[in-house]
Amino acid sequence: MKFFSDIKLKMKLLLIIVPILLSIQLLAQNPVKNRRDSLITAGISSQIGLYEELAQKIWSLAELGYQEYESSKLLQDKLAAEGFEIESGVAAIPTAFTASFGTGSPVIAILAEFDALPGVSQDAVPHRSPVPERSAGHACGHHLFGVGSVAAGVAVKNWIQSSGVEGTIRVYGTPAEEGGGGKIYMVKAGLFDDVDVVLHWHPSSSNGADAASSLANKSAKFRFYGQASHAAGAPERGRSGLDGVEAMNYMVNLMREHVPSDSRIHYVITRGGEAPNVVPEFAEVFYYCRHPLAEQVKKNFDWIVEAAQGAAKGTQTRMEYEVIHGLFNLLPNEALSKTMHTNLLKVGGVYYDDKERAFAEEIATSFGDIPYNLESAKMIKPFKVYERGRGGSTDVGDVSWVVPTAGMRAATWVPGTSAHSWQAVAAGGTSIGTKGMMVAAKTIAMTAADLMLQPEKIKGAWSELVRRRGKEFEYQSLVGDREPPLDYRK
Ligand SMILES: [Zn+2]
Ligand SMILES: [Zn+2]
């Protein structure tokens, strides 16, 4: 027995001693970086209450794309109070802003989003419970995205002030990510022209900093104009806008067989007539067209337009279309992402207290058959490079083709949660969301500080950007010369 208790005691001692030795070793390896990181993370942690309050205000406001007046102002006010120089209403978008601190180069940008999604109203409780007076919700966690990025920016500013390092930190308030493409117009306005590196993050149900891509995406509303008449009494005098929409959709559905199989085309009929006994004078269909490569999106989109033109001809209606957004795929940057991943490992994941665990367990009961592991909130996913995007799209894509860009995700949602779900809104309104947001703020701030001190890393990131996009590349937005669709949510 004594032998076994000795072993147990030794094991316990080892468990205590090994982490201490490892920390001492780490400290010895790079004591300057460790001191810097501790200063940055302690600064962010000391303001956790303030940042939580700010995020919860924006969560409750749940303002839609290009209408995020109060949310944008809350972030600008915090940055102005910290001594940042604010430029409001940039790129002809009332809710877009930049906030700069410091002098000279390098210029490190941090992106901050804050728009909500329509139709996903939900209270901060672990069962389905819409908030009656609210129709929108932060189902993509952009309230955390915005505040987390502001927290990172403020931490870098504090470090610049205390260390006297030369460089500029700039927070970009980027509206209407969900379909309005705010960043496209900020890129087109030249707002990133003097930027050396862009950092961003996104709320998620896991932690990771992969060099990842996304799908390029172009969307448009196709409008068919016909002639109203009595559908039974004088059908020969009518021409149906809905016929135009249906003929177009039929052709696009045939087209699916002949485009690359990783293309994604989806539509909703937003206007289809009002009454069956009236030949619809007007109908509208809203299309999204996606692929891992922007070049292929252009080809598929042009074919969709041809289908719409053919449909109008065949139904004797008139067709007009309006491009709503057009996003590039994210260009991965392995060099930058590795730096971010190293810092994320150091910061660590999200640890639940008893109350948060109970909340997470109840949320998880709503997932049905989807497998989940609550313990994974603590873990950091191994680093990977994804050359081709899957799933979603983002307007960070356009930014990543003009400046080396790296992003990460943090577990602000219960593992197993899908973005754009009520479960995402719910967790984003609790301390689980705040804890994930803090992981991102600390990692981004540490990464920005590392990059400011290591110009060779920035140089490497630029070589990678040029290699990936090709020497001849010239940025031409997929939206052409359209203005920001400021009323797309109205
Ligand atoms: Zn989203
Ligand atoms: Zn999002």
Side-chain angles (χ1 to χ4, degrees):
M1 284 303 284
K2 183 168 183 310
F3 174 75
F4 283 108
S5 61
D6 270 4
I7 282 187
K8 268 189 181 167
L9 189 69
K10 278 176 189 161
M11 287 295 283
K12 272 187 185 165
L13 278 172
L14 272 177
L15 280 173
I16 297 166
I17 292 166
V18 168
I20 294 173
L21 286 176
L22 277 173
S23 315
I24 292 170
Q25 197 200 359
L26 266 174
L27 205 68
Q29 271 173 5
N30 198 339
V32 179
K33 171 166 166 60
N34 282 311
R35 260 199 304 279
R36 181 171 74 237
D37 289 344
S38 309
L39 201 77
I40 286 171
T41 55
I44 293 174
S45 294
S46 71
Q47 297 217 47
I48 184 166
L50 191 147
Y51 290 129
E52 180 162 56
E53 198 184 314
L54 199 52
Q56 290 317 307
K57 272 188 196 164
I58 298 174
W59 181 86
S60 303
L61 285 165
E63 292 176 299
L64 296 176
Y66 292 132
Q67 294 162 49
E68 321 94 324
Y69 292 95
E70 289 184 61
S71 307
S72 174
K73 187 171 183 304
L74 283 166
L75 299 180
Q76 292 180 54
D77 286 350
K78 170 64 182 161
L79 289 159
E82 292 284 348
F84 281 74
E85 195 180 309
I86 313 282
E87 274 193 66
S88 244
V90 291
I93 302 171
T95 52
F97 69 87
T98 59
S100 305
F101 185 91
T103 49
S105 62
V107 179
I108 310 251
I110 305 176
L111 305 179
E113 296 176 4
F114 35 77
D115 61 321
L117 277 157
V120 209
S121 168
Q122 166 68 29
D123 209 350
V125 293
H127 51 267
R128 183 73 176 116
S129 176
V131 181
E133 67 276 15
R134 203 182 294 152
S135 64
H138 270 290
C140 213
H142 295 177
H143 63 303
L144 302 167
F145 188 156
V147 176
S149 294
V150 166
V154 170
V156 177
K157 177 225 71 169
N158 288 337
W159 167 72
I160 290 176
Q161 272 179 325
S162 63
S163 64
V165 163
E166 165 130 354
T168 305
I169 186 77
R170 191 182 296 151
V171 179
Y172 282 67
T174 64
E177 192 281 328
E178 298 285 359
K183 293 179 198 75
I184 303 166
Y185 304 96
M186 298 175 81
V187 171
K188 284 174 71 172
L191 293 172
F192 290 93
D193 287 358
D194 66 340
V195 176
D196 291 285
V197 164
V198 173
L199 304 176
H200 68 108
W201 73 286
H202 202 285
S204 177
S205 57
S206 61
N207 308 292
D210 300 315
S213 189
S214 63
L215 296 181
N217 181 2
K218 185 162 179 174
S219 74
K221 290 180 176 173
F222 294 85
R223 302 182 178 119
F224 289 83
Y225 299 86
Q227 180 74 44
S229 72
H230 195 293
E236 73 283 358
R237 290 173 59 187
R239 295 292 181 269
S240 165
L242 182 60
D243 285 356
V245 165
E246 289 195 84
M248 174 188 175
N249 292 349
Y250 182 69
M251 279 189 270
V252 173
N253 289 331
L254 292 177
M255 176 189 144
R256 291 179 196 276
E257 187 185 349
H258 310 291
V259 291
S261 57
D262 45 1
S263 305
R264 293 284 182 275
I265 302 170
H266 16 263
Y267 59 81
V268 288
I269 298 176
T270 40
R271 289 281 298 277
E274 317 298 326
N277 60 347
V278 180
V279 172
E281 179 178 44
F282 175 73
E284 183 187 76
V285 60
F286 190 5
Y287 267 83
Y288 270 31
C289 167
R290 313 196 207 215
H291 187 271
L293 302 173
E295 278 310 306
Q296 188 61 43
V297 163
K298 279 186 208 164
K299 288 180 192 161
N300 291 356
F301 183 84
D302 289 347
W303 195 350
I304 291 171
V305 171
E306 285 177 16
Q309 288 162 340
K313 202 162 176 54
T315 56
Q316 296 195 335
T317 54
R318 184 172 60 81
M319 187 278 296
E320 281 173 1
Y321 71 95
E322 181 188 2
V323 171
I324 301 297
H325 74 8
L327 317 172
F328 272 66
N329 48 306
L330 261 177
L331 203 59
N333 198 296
E334 194 174 340
L336 280 185
S337 296
K338 273 187 177 153
T339 304
M340 203 175 235
H341 182 254
T342 307
N343 284 318
L344 176 58
L345 281 176
K346 206 171 166 189
V347 171
V350 173
Y351 289 75
Y352 296 150
D353 63 22
D354 291 346
K355 204 173 142 210
E356 289 156 353
R357 176 163 297 281
F359 180 96
E361 275 167 3
E362 195 177 335
I363 283 262
T365 60
S366 69
F367 295 156
D369 293 339
I370 306 292
Y372 66 92
N373 171 16
L374 296 186
E375 295 305 304
S376 68
K378 297 177 197 164
M379 299 167 196
I380 311 297
K381 292 247 165 124
F383 181 79
K384 268 190 184 170
V385 183
Y386 295 98
E387 296 290 346
R388 284 169 86 86
R390 301 160 301 163
S393 310
T394 167
D395 59 3
V396 182
D398 288 57
V399 178
S400 73
W401 283 77
V402 297
V403 185
T405 299
M408 60 160 286
R409 59 188 190 281
T412 58
W413 305 327
V414 174
T417 299
S418 159
H420 295 195
S421 63
W422 69 260
Q423 292 93 335
V425 187
T430 71
S431 53
I432 292 177
T434 308
K435 283 186 176 175
M437 173 176 83
M438 290 287 110
V439 167
K442 289 171 183 176
T443 308
I444 288 176
M446 282 159 62
T447 305
D450 280 351
L451 293 169
M452 277 203 184
L453 295 173
Q454 298 175 74
E456 70 281 3
K457 278 204 169 158
I458 296 178
K459 228 174 136 189
W462 272 96
S463 317
E464 187 176 339
L465 171 69
V466 172
R467 175 172 58 76
R468 283 182 184 276
R469 72 181 180 187
K471 279 209 168 74
E472 306 301 311
F473 175 81
E474 204 180 303
Y475 174 73
Q476 271 188 323
S477 145
L478 294 180
V479 297
D481 56 6
R482 77 149 300 150
E483 301 289 310
L486 297 178
D487 60 352
Y488 85 114
R489 287 291 194 211
K490 283 187 179 160

